[in-house]
Amino acid sequence: MKVFLCGGGAGIQTIEANKRLNEVIDHSKPCLYVPLAMNQRMYPDCYEWIKDELKNVDIPYIEMVNSADELAAKNLNDFGVIFIGGGNTFKLLHDLKISGAFEKIKEYLNGEGVVFGGSAGAIIFGKDLEACRLDDTNEVNLSDIDGFDVLNGTSILCHYTNRTAEKDEESRQYLLEVSKHRKVVALPEEVTLFVNGEDMEVIGNRPYFFFENGAILKQNEE
């Protein structure tokens, strides 16, 4: 299992994460880009964004899916990396689950697959979506909010400490309450966690935070 959990950054914020990605992928295979967390009318702009974001990653080309059904029909082993982008996390997980793509991604990861998830694309790899309820609306009425759980019972929040002070304080108070019943890791946009089998590598030098038992623990301090 090789999963990059990016706090939602881009450009200069993800240079080091993309360098690390470049070190672990099969360079003979293309990238499959999944923009399903966004509104479909945004997909053309999303494709231009991903081409620029991965311009320094050695891949033959980037293929984008336009629906979860299209994703579910793919042979994922044809791709060196699946890049799952940001947007509404509930919409993303809903579409993956009703199409069957969720199980196919799980199988891909259990093999030699590599996934890079940014923002919503990272959050779905946590225990569940409970940590992002303040950030995203559940307009799709998703009831099964369980994610891939690659962090062994830890949920994920992204963009933490990159918003206004008021928003970050609101999130902090919410996560302190939520963490009485589950563990949460809150990532800034500049930090990516690389889960490589049983190991976890921290990419980026900004602090990130663990919430557990109603308390907060700062990580990655210099």
Side-chain angles (χ1 to χ4, degrees):
M1 176 190 297
K2 291 181 172 65
V3 187
F4 291 80
L5 305 171
C6 176
I12 193 171
Q13 296 172 312
T14 52
I15 288 175
E16 293 304 316
N18 288 339
K19 284 181 180 177
R20 189 70 180 96
L21 174 65
N22 200 45
E23 293 172 356
V24 303
I25 60 172
D26 182 343
H27 299 291
S28 68
K29 294 182 178 181
C31 167
L32 184 63
Y33 175 47
V34 180
L36 301 177
M38 299 291 283
N39 188 292
Q40 193 166 21
R41 69 174 181 274
M42 297 294 296
Y43 289 1
D45 290 338
C46 291
Y47 187 64
E48 293 305 312
W49 174 83
I50 194 64
K51 287 194 298 182
D52 184 65
E53 179 67 12
L54 298 184
K55 62 187 176 186
N56 294 319
V57 178
D58 182 15
I59 45 179
Y61 59 91
I62 300 171
E63 183 175 328
M64 181 177 72
V65 296
N66 290 284
S67 71
D69 289 336
E70 183 184 351
L71 174 60
K74 295 286 186 186
N75 180 357
L76 299 185
N77 292 323
D78 290 340
F79 299 92
V81 58
I82 300 173
F83 191 109
I84 307 177
N88 185 285
T89 315
F90 291 95
K91 175 186 181 298
L92 173 61
L93 188 59
H94 170 269
D95 289 358
L96 294 181
K97 288 195 171 182
I98 64 169
S99 66
F102 185 90
E103 293 301 324
K104 290 198 69 171
I105 292 172
K106 186 182 294 186
E107 292 172 6
Y108 173 78
L109 277 177
N110 288 337
E112 297 299 317
V114 181
V115 173
F116 192 109
S119 191
I123 293 169
I124 61 171
F125 287 93
K127 173 68 174 68
D128 56 32
L129 306 193
E130 201 64 48
C132 73
R133 284 193 184 274
L134 288 185
D135 287 25
D136 289 345
T137 55
N138 187 4
E139 295 179 351
V140 293
N141 295 316
L142 179 67
S143 56
D144 176 11
I145 64 168
D146 288 344
F148 290 95
D149 196 20
V150 302
L151 294 177
N152 301 316
T154 301
S155 299
I156 301 167
L157 181 70
C158 295
H159 305 288
Y160 190 66
T161 67
N162 292 101
R163 290 101 37 111
T164 65
E166 292 79 9
K167 179 62 177 177
D168 284 332
E169 177 59 19
E170 181 185 26
S171 293
R172 189 181 75 87
Q173 293 296 334
Y174 175 71
L175 294 181
L176 286 171
E177 184 64 30
V178 165
S179 68
K180 294 176 181 178
H181 310 287
R182 61 173 44 72
K183 295 179 289 184
V184 177
V185 60
L187 303 174
E189 294 170 357
E190 296 85 356
V191 168
T192 296
L193 302 182
F194 175 35
V195 181
N196 187 3
E198 297 298 317
D199 299 323
M200 189 181 79
E201 176 183 339
V202 181
I203 305 169
N205 56 17
R206 278 283 303 278
Y208 66 101
F209 302 84
F210 275 110
F211 291 79
E212 187 174 7
N213 297 323
I216 181 172
L217 180 62
K218 192 174 184 180
Q219 302 285 330
N220 215 27
E221 292 186 277
E222 295 184 355

